[in-house]
Amino acid sequence: MSSKIISNAKNLQVIYEDNHLIAINKRAGDIVQGDKTGDAPLSEVVKEYLKTKHNKPGNVYLGVAHRLDRPTTGIVVFAKTSKALPRLNKLFAEKDAQKTYWAVVQQCPEIAQGTLVHWLKRNTKQNKSYAHIKEVAESKKAILEYKVIKKLDRYFLLEVDLKTGRHHQIRAQLTGIGCPIKGDLKYGFDRSNKDGSIHLHARQLSFIHPVKKELLNLIAPLPNDSIWNACAP
């Protein structure tokens, strides 16, 4: 089992930064916010980076607007000002941000391009969501669009556009059609990745800047491994 590479203030992968926002390319070992593991969250790492880079005395303000699952890689945006945070929160809450993910699966979907609609029921004890075809008690509707964009030697690369933001949505819905994501033991893939990652990457995020009111289109470079390297455009 190879060790996970975790972001720190020196190796942080910054995609975009201005006075209001900072966007990071999250590694698979990073947690966005603190949890029961006690590991330093990405939010604290970004604060340390900003403190050093801008030579800031005292506490650095940083607001968490959205999250990615720990084994997932890709774009995470933080607010650098108390003015930007509520606007970012509203933007994500109202689905005004276009989120595009890339996922590697071994089993090709029966239809190369389509829309998946499920009802997801979350099991908090297992930290897992189950996809149902019909509505069940305490379930939430989940919608995504996908298309196969590349055939690899043994895998297929899917592009996924999220229409709703549910717990483990892409992982649960792809498993719901028999296409678990590479490395995702929790959702039915037969073996884990050595670094604890899964092959799910938040590739692109497009939204109107909450302060500048300009369109921001962010793209996160792919992780460096043989499968992702084969997916590169």
Side-chain angles (χ1 to χ4, degrees), residues 108-121:
C108 188
E110 287 181 15
I111 303 163
Q113 182 169 354
T115 301
L116 300 184
V117 180
H118 289 96
W119 293 87
L120 294 194
K121 183 165 183 176

Side-chain angles (χ1 to χ4, degrees), residues 53-200:
K53 181 184 177 185
H54 301 294
N55 203 12
K56 288 196 169 196
N59 292 330
V60 173
Y61 179 89
L62 195 77
V64 178
H66 68 126
R67 293 162 188 76
L68 285 180
D69 299 342
R70 184 162 197 170
T72 304
T73 55
I75 301 171
V76 181
V77 179
F78 297 95
K80 287 174 62 180
T81 64
S82 54
K83 182 180 181 181
L85 181 61
R87 296 180 185 187
L88 260 189
N89 284 337
K90 186 169 186 275
L91 193 126
F92 284 112
E94 295 179 359
K95 311 291 181 284
D96 289 331
Q98 176 64 41
K99 297 178 181 178
T100 302
Y101 289 76
W102 281 9
V104 175
V105 297
Q106 196 161 27
Q107 185 67 39
C108 188
E110 287 181 15
I111 303 163
Q113 182 169 354
T115 301
L116 300 184
V117 180
H118 289 96
W119 293 87
L120 294 194
K121 183 165 183 176
R122 184 171 178 175
N123 182 319
T124 48
K125 279 187 180 173
Q126 294 179 317
N127 188 31
K128 187 173 176 181
S129 289
Y130 291 86
H132 299 268
I133 299 300
K134 293 179 179 175
E135 187 173 5
V136 298
E138 297 172 18
S139 63
K140 292 181 177 177
K141 195 174 190 179
I143 306 167
L144 63 76
E145 293 175 357
Y146 74 88
K147 60 184 174 186
V148 179
I149 59 170
K150 200 163 193 178
K151 185 182 185 305
L152 310 175
D153 284 347
R154 294 175 52 217
Y155 300 99
F156 297 87
L157 175 63
L158 309 185
E159 186 168 272
V160 176
D161 286 320
L162 272 184
K163 302 301 175 190
T164 53
R166 306 298 182 204
H167 176 258
H168 291 181
Q169 179 177 337
I170 299 173
R171 300 165 68 182
Q173 286 199 273
L174 290 181
T175 290
I177 60 164
C179 303
I181 293 166
K182 182 183 181 300
D184 199 354
L185 279 181
K186 178 170 275 196
Y187 283 92
F189 200 79
D190 59 3
R191 62 193 178 279
S192 59
N193 291 336
K194 285 180 182 176
D195 63 356
S197 70
I198 61 173
H199 275 77
L200 178 63

